[in-house]
Amino acid sequence: MAAVLFDFSGTLFRIESSDSWLRAVLAERGVVLPEPEVAVAARALEAAGALPGGASPERLPQALADLWEIRDRSAELHRAAYTGLARQVPLPDPALYDALYERHMAPAAWSPYADAVEVLGALRERGISVGVVSNIGWDLRPVFRAHGLDPYIDTYVLSYEHGIQKPDPRLFTVACEALDVAPHEVLMVGDDRRADGGAAELGCAVHFVDHLPVSQRPDGLRPVLALAG
C-alpha cells in the first residue's frame, strides 16, 4: 500500500464516557447536582445519543431525523443535531447544552488507542502516507496535536470542510488526491461498515476495527501493519 486512511472516532481515538463528559461540564460551569441526579442525567444523555463519538440514539426524535442524516455536512448542522438530542434531557441550566457540545471538541475529552502512536510511527518509517478521513462537524487537528499524533498525519479530510460525508466516495477521492495516490494503493481503516466501507466503491481496500473503550482494545490497530505491507 502507498497510503493508509484512518477514521477518527472509534478508530484512532475514543471519546470520554457520558458520565465523564457531563461531570466535566458541570464542574467547569460551577453547577452542583445531587449525585443521583448526575448519574441519571448521564445515562439519559447517552441513551439520547447526545455525545458525539459516543453511542447512537436509542430512539431518534422524528423532528431530528432528517437533520441526523446530514449532520456531518457542516459545522452548523452538526451542532444543531447534537444539541437537539441533548435537549431531550432536562438539565438545570439551558446554557449546559452548548457547554456540553463545546466540551466534546476539547482534546481532554479524547484518548488515543494504546497502539495508535506505534502503528502511525511504523507507517511513517516505511514511507507509507497517512490520512484521516472523518465524518465530523469541527476541526479535530488540535486533538491530534495535543496528543502528539499530528506529526504522523499527512492530510486531514473532514466532511464539514467539503460538504460531503462518508460513505460518499468523493470524500475518499479528496484524500487520495491530497496524498497523490491511486485508490487501489490505499487501505481505509475504520469502525463503521457503512460509512468507512464507502471507500471500497472507489477501489480502496478496507479494514474494520471494533469501536470499543480504549481499555478494551489495546492492539486493535496492529493488524494494519501487516495489511499495509
Side-chain angles (χ1 to χ4, degrees), residues 150-173:
D150 181 65
Y152 303 108
I153 310 302
D154 298 296
T155 192
Y156 295 90
V157 178
L158 312 180
S159 62
Y160 84 102
E161 293 182 336
H162 299 276
I164 306 166
Q165 62 188 49
K166 297 180 292 186
D168 192 320
R170 290 179 295 170
L171 202 63
F172 303 105
T173 297

Side-chain angles (χ1 to χ4, degrees), residues 48-129:
L51 174 58
S56 296
E58 292 183 4
R59 189 177 67 83
L60 187 64
Q62 187 58 43
L64 295 174
D66 291 341
L67 176 60
W68 180 254
E69 290 301 314
I70 59 171
R71 66 191 181 280
D72 295 312
R73 293 185 187 175
S74 75
E76 294 76 18
L77 292 171
H78 194 269
R79 179 183 287 270
Y82 283 102
T83 56
L85 290 173
R87 288 188 175 93
Q88 307 302 304
V89 179
L91 293 175
D93 181 352
L96 288 172
Y97 300 111
D98 281 318
L100 285 167
Y101 186 82
E102 295 296 327
R103 165 67 187 182
H104 102 274
M105 296 186 286
W110 294 89
S111 296
Y113 283 94
D115 55 347
V117 170
E118 171 195 337
V119 170
L120 293 174
L123 292 173
R124 175 54 56 90
E125 290 176 0
R126 297 179 189 183
I128 296 174
S129 299

Side-chain angles (χ1 to χ4, degrees), residues 104-214:
H104 102 274
M105 296 186 286
W110 294 89
S111 296
Y113 283 94
D115 55 347
V117 170
E118 171 195 337
V119 170
L120 293 174
L123 292 173
R124 175 54 56 90
E125 290 176 0
R126 297 179 189 183
I128 296 174
S129 299
V130 172
V132 172
V133 182
S134 178
N135 277 353
I136 198 165
W138 50 277
D139 185 5
L140 50 70
R141 295 172 183 87
V143 175
F144 279 76
R145 288 196 291 269
H147 290 279
L149 271 64
D150 181 65
Y152 303 108
I153 310 302
D154 298 296
T155 192
Y156 295 90
V157 178
L158 312 180
S159 62
Y160 84 102
E161 293 182 336
H162 299 276
I164 306 166
Q165 62 188 49
K166 297 180 292 186
D168 192 320
R170 290 179 295 170
L171 202 63
F172 303 105
T173 297
V174 172
C176 290
E177 291 177 348
L179 296 174
D180 193 25
V181 293
H184 69 271
E185 301 176 301
V186 174
L187 173 66
M188 174 67 205
V189 182
D191 67 299
D192 187 320
R193 292 185 176 274
R194 177 177 177 273
D196 300 313
E201 184 176 338
L202 193 63
C204 302
V206 181
H207 175 68
F208 297 106
V209 295
D210 295 321
H211 189 149
L212 294 171
V214 167

